[in-house]
Amino acid sequence: ERDDEALVLKREIFARWVALCGISHDRTILTGHNLAMSLKIQGLFDEARTLVRDQLLPAARRSLGTDHDLTLCLNESLAGILAYNPDRTRDRPAFESTPTAIRAVASTRRTFDLNTGDEFAR
């Protein structure tokens, strides 16, 4: 029950940030990420995926850039949401998360100059 109450509050806070500053504001994106992780924890994978993939990631890429730490974190979170969704094979490939994870690793390595020459660094 407390998780449900917390989720209601997180949704409300995110909506207020969107209304106040817009979806592309870094604080709005961070608040949205917190909401998405709560959705994932509660098993609401489709809603979490939609929030991250369709709203937060495009906003973060546009306003913060592809190599910003929050954008990288969103990429990693999307990979986790996709990987741990128990229904992922119902309407999408089971390995949809793999390309997302590979892109997240490559971008992180590029950002922090961690390229090692392996296939993920390309």
Side-chain angles (χ1 to χ4, degrees):
E1 176 154 323
R2 283 190 175 261
D3 288 339
D4 293 337
E5 291 174 19
L7 195 55
V8 168
L9 290 172
K10 287 183 180 186
R11 287 179 200 271
E12 184 178 314
I13 292 166
F14 175 65
R16 286 182 181 180
W17 274 106
V18 171
L20 182 66
C21 298
I23 190 69
S24 295
H25 190 274
D26 60 340
R27 185 66 185 190
T28 305
I29 295 168
L30 180 60
T31 304
H33 180 255
N34 291 337
L35 172 59
M37 293 302 90
S38 293
L39 292 166
K40 176 187 168 194
I41 289 167
Q42 292 215 8
L44 300 170
F45 293 97
D46 289 339
E47 189 176 350
R49 183 191 77 238
T50 299
L51 177 59
V52 173
R53 182 168 37 197
D54 298 346
Q55 294 183 46
L56 300 176
L57 261 174
R61 288 177 182 142
R62 195 172 45 251
S63 64
L64 304 173
T66 58
D67 292 335
H68 188 276
D69 59 337
L70 186 51
T71 308
L72 297 172
C73 187
L74 286 166
N75 277 306
E76 183 180 356
S77 295
L78 179 59
I81 290 165
L82 294 170
Y84 292 105
N85 183 349
D87 297 327
R88 69 184 181 268
T89 58
R90 184 183 70 225
D91 61 353
R92 66 190 70 84
F95 299 106
E96 180 182 6
S97 63
T98 302
T100 302
I102 289 171
R103 282 191 305 273
V105 168
S107 184
T108 301
R109 286 183 173 175
R110 191 174 52 254
T111 299
F112 297 106
D113 197 26
L114 301 173
N115 290 330
T116 60
D118 65 19
E119 68 277 3
F120 292 118
R122 294 188 196 113

